[in-house]
Amino acid sequence: MLVAGLALGSIFYDLGEDKVAERVGLFAFLLTFLLSSTTEALPIFLQEREILAKETSSGAYRVSSYAVANALVFLPFQLALAVVFAAPVYWLAGLRRTAAAFGYFLLVAWLILYTANSVVVGGAGLRGGSAMPGCWVFMHYLSLFKWPFEALLVNEFAGGGRCAVRLLGACVATGDEVLRREGLGEECRWRNVGVMVAFMAVYRVLGYAVLRVRCKCSRARGGMANSKAASVID
């Protein structure tokens, strides 16, 4: 994460006020990286799932205890990853240089990582816009990319009357005007954070529900096997 933060920060080093397209490109790069960086947890979780089935069937603990512990233990870990990634890329790229803006950027990075981890947990349990056609519009709102991307754009370009588009040295559009054209504004800042938290909660609950069902099935199969063994002995 630290190497990736330094690399992205050096590629997009010290973006000037007029480098709007470059800033949007940076956000797209870091979102793609953050959303895909937690897939390494998938093999670990698949191994843990088999252990979980055995230990819950023996009454060592409940599935809910594992689900809560798994959710809590990743919070500080993902925060640490967010800090070591966000600190170099934010200041090297020369994004909005205020403590509040950096704090919001760090919060969004943390939520992206934790949401992606929650998707891995929920998805592993199951393993064994206007240009869109109307029937697919709902997928736009289910996108894990949409909400943090909009939040980062608002954090960078909203307020302050910053110029976003210049023509022949004159400012022809401010950041707020560009955001309004895309249907974005300050109201998106915390709304999108709330949506990301909701995504995390949904996938965590989904992961718990699937694990609970699988563990019950495992106990049922174990009980049938023991009954067959007892009948053979008799």
Side-chain angles (χ1 to χ4, degrees):
M1 295 295 285
L2 178 60
V3 171
L6 290 170
L8 274 177
S10 62
I11 292 171
F12 294 90
Y13 181 72
D14 198 19
L15 298 175
E17 291 284 333
D18 58 334
K19 299 292 182 64
V20 176
E22 287 81 356
R23 290 168 191 261
V24 175
L26 169 62
F27 295 153
F29 269 109
L30 69 87
L31 272 172
T32 302
F33 172 74
L34 292 176
L35 286 172
S36 61
S37 63
T38 57
T39 54
E40 85 283 348
L42 182 58
I44 299 172
F45 182 78
L46 291 175
Q47 290 178 345
E48 284 187 356
R49 191 182 65 185
E50 301 304 322
I51 299 172
L52 173 69
K54 295 177 182 178
E55 294 184 341
T56 53
S57 62
S58 65
Y61 50 82
R62 299 169 64 89
V63 177
S64 57
S65 301
Y66 169 83
V68 172
N70 182 273
L72 292 177
V73 77
F74 275 106
L75 280 171
F77 177 68
Q78 301 293 353
L79 176 59
L81 292 180
V83 170
V84 299
F85 175 79
V89 71
Y90 191 90
W91 299 109
L92 284 174
L95 301 180
R96 178 170 284 187
R97 298 181 184 277
T98 66
F102 173 70
Y104 185 82
F105 180 89
L106 177 60
L107 172 64
V108 172
W110 184 27
L111 291 176
I112 294 168
L113 286 170
Y114 197 73
T115 302
N117 179 264
S118 300
V119 172
V120 168
V121 171
L126 294 169
R127 284 178 181 246
S130 59
M132 291 183 178
C135 60
W136 288 105
V137 169
F138 75 96
M139 292 298 295
H140 174 67
Y141 297 98
L142 294 178
S143 169
L144 297 181
F145 193 93
K146 165 186 167 62
W147 305 102
F149 186 67
E150 290 181 353
L152 292 174
L153 290 178
V154 170
N155 187 54
E156 185 62 23
F157 297 115
R162 300 178 63 188
C163 183
V165 181
R166 291 184 181 275
L167 183 63
L168 300 177
C171 182
V172 295
T174 64
D176 289 312
E177 291 171 340
V178 172
L179 290 175
R180 280 197 296 270
R181 291 174 191 170
E182 299 299 323
L184 304 177
E186 278 292 342
E187 71 279 1
C188 299
R189 184 184 295 270
W190 297 110
R191 180 199 67 188
N192 287 25
V193 168
V195 171
M196 294 171 67
V197 172
F199 268 120
M200 291 188 304
V202 167
Y203 279 107
R204 288 287 170 179
V205 172
L206 175 64
Y208 162 72
V210 173
L211 284 174
R212 187 174 179 85
V213 171
R214 291 182 67 93
C215 289
K216 281 186 176 180
C217 293
S218 177
R219 286 197 295 269
R221 287 194 296 267
M224 292 177 61
N226 292 335
S227 298
K228 290 180 179 178
S231 63
V232 170
I233 292 173
D234 291 341

